[in-house]
Amino acid sequence: MTKFLVLYNTPVSVMEEWQKTDPEKRRAAEEEMQNAWRKWMSDHAKIFADKGAGVGKPKRVTAQGISSTRNDIMLYAIVEAESHEAAAKFFEAHPHLQIAQASIEIMEIHPLTGMSG
């Protein structure tokens, strides 16, 4: 089995607009999404090597220094699958995709040889 990094993305602009939604309507929609997400996770529990977590605001490090930045990554996970295509297929009907302009990226994890400390 090969490991894959999964990134759940939603544009920052979409999240900013969502925060402007009426709190009652937002709460109901978020609860519905959480229930669908829990069911999906339960149905697919066997594929996860690491169920992942939400991520906070990013910092960018360059040769010029450290700066605050923004990106669309909301969460990450690590899954195991027979192939890249098989890993991607697991996520075709994921509840995250109900969010406007949301996407899920799946990348094979390649161990770095000779880099352990």
Side-chain angles (χ1 to χ4, degrees):
M1 291 287 241
T2 303
K3 288 186 179 179
F4 297 88
L5 175 65
V6 178
L7 298 177
Y8 301 88
N9 303 301
T10 302
V12 172
S13 60
V14 170
M15 293 307 297
E16 289 172 345
E17 278 302 308
W18 180 244
Q19 293 303 315
K20 297 176 187 175
T21 303
D22 172 65
E24 188 109 351
K25 180 180 177 185
R26 193 173 71 226
R27 195 171 11 265
E30 288 171 350
E31 186 175 320
E32 185 178 326
M33 172 75 72
Q34 288 170 2
N35 289 336
W37 191 292
R38 276 192 286 278
K39 178 172 179 357
W40 190 95
M41 290 295 287
S42 176
D43 292 347
H44 295 84
K46 68 183 183 304
I47 70 170
F48 287 91
D50 179 344
K51 290 183 181 176
V55 297
K57 295 179 181 178
K59 292 285 185 186
R60 176 170 287 140
V61 180
T62 66
Q64 290 72 42
I66 300 170
S67 62
S68 294
T69 189
R70 294 167 36 148
N71 65 34
D72 296 342
I73 302 169
M74 292 181 65
L75 307 128
Y76 81 93
I78 297 175
V79 299
E80 292 182 309
E82 292 293 330
S83 69
H84 201 170
E85 187 69 25
K89 283 195 172 295
F90 286 129
F91 292 89
E92 285 182 318
H94 193 283
H96 179 73
L97 300 174
Q98 295 172 20
I99 300 169
Q101 301 178 46
S103 64
I104 300 171
E105 295 178 9
I106 297 96
M107 296 159 280
E108 186 173 346
I109 297 172
H110 300 284
L112 296 177
T113 56
M115 297 295 282
S116 61

